[in-house]
Amino acid sequence: MTIKEQLQEDWKQALKSKDKPKAEILSMAKAAILHVEKTDNIKVEDAKAIEILAREVKMRRDANVEFEKGNRQDLVDKNNFEIETILGYLPKQLEEKDIIRLVEDTAKEIGANSTKDMGKLMAALKPATTGKADGKLVSSIVKDYLNRQGN
């Protein structure tokens, strides 16, 4: 079953069981995918759906920073629920130690050894990390690694 089909089935189930919060977030996820299909005039396959859902998670994580600054725990909690729900449709998230290993291996593979190579290294990591790791975390690990190499 594709991610789109799974979202549809789970949305129907959430409606039947009157789980309004879950039905709402699944509806938003479906709408994000449909929006891309309509604007780009494409049929979204799983790889693209993962990208779209990862972007939705990132938006919510970014919003949480602002909500925390504004002392809006109610909105943080709502976003955390939405993040957890969406993550259920994404591949298993990489742990930090796995990201570090991936960064080190990829850097050696492509010869990235200074901060000038950050863009090249991030581009090489993208296929392996999209939907599986937070981009800010990957970027931070890449910076740390390249700074250590440059010294």
Side-chain angles (χ1 to χ4, degrees):
M1 185 178 284
T2 68
I3 291 174
K4 280 176 30 180
E5 293 167 343
Q6 188 64 53
L7 280 169
Q8 181 68 22
E9 286 304 309
D10 293 349
W11 175 72
K12 285 180 189 175
Q13 196 56 46
L15 288 176
K16 285 180 187 173
S17 63
K18 297 190 184 345
D19 186 348
K20 188 175 179 194
K22 186 172 183 177
E24 284 177 0
I25 185 57
L26 294 177
S27 183
M28 281 190 271
K30 288 176 16 168
I33 291 171
L34 184 62
H35 176 73
V36 169
E37 286 184 326
K38 292 211 184 267
T39 57
D40 296 352
N41 202 21
I42 60 169
K43 183 179 186 310
V44 170
E45 301 296 332
D46 276 358
K48 185 70 173 173
I50 287 169
E51 229 178 89
I52 295 165
L53 295 177
R55 189 171 47 238
E56 292 293 315
V57 168
K58 180 188 180 329
M59 287 174 16
R60 285 163 177 76
R61 284 183 174 149
D62 291 348
N64 270 355
V65 172
E66 299 303 316
F67 292 151
E68 286 169 355
K69 285 180 189 172
N71 204 21
R72 292 294 310 266
Q73 191 59 42
D74 58 325
L75 297 176
V76 170
D77 293 342
K78 180 180 183 288
N79 263 2
N80 285 338
F81 170 76
E82 291 178 358
I83 290 167
E84 288 305 311
T85 302
I86 295 170
L87 285 176
Y89 298 90
L90 295 176
K92 183 179 179 299
Q93 298 295 291
L94 295 171
E95 293 183 25
E96 190 168 341
K97 63 181 172 47
D98 297 326
I99 299 169
I100 292 169
R101 190 174 323 112
L102 184 63
V103 166
E104 291 169 353
D105 293 347
T106 305
K108 288 173 186 158
E109 198 177 288
I110 66 170
N113 52 20
S114 75
T115 52
K116 291 180 204 164
D117 299 322
M118 182 152 178
K120 182 168 76 170
L121 182 52
M122 287 297 291
L125 289 166
K126 187 172 172 112
T129 59
T130 299
K132 299 177 192 169
D134 179 43
K136 284 183 182 176
L137 177 60
V138 174
S139 176
S140 171
I141 292 170
V142 166
K143 278 181 195 165
D144 290 346
Y145 175 80
L146 292 175
N147 283 332
R148 286 195 314 272
Q149 297 308 305
N151 295 333

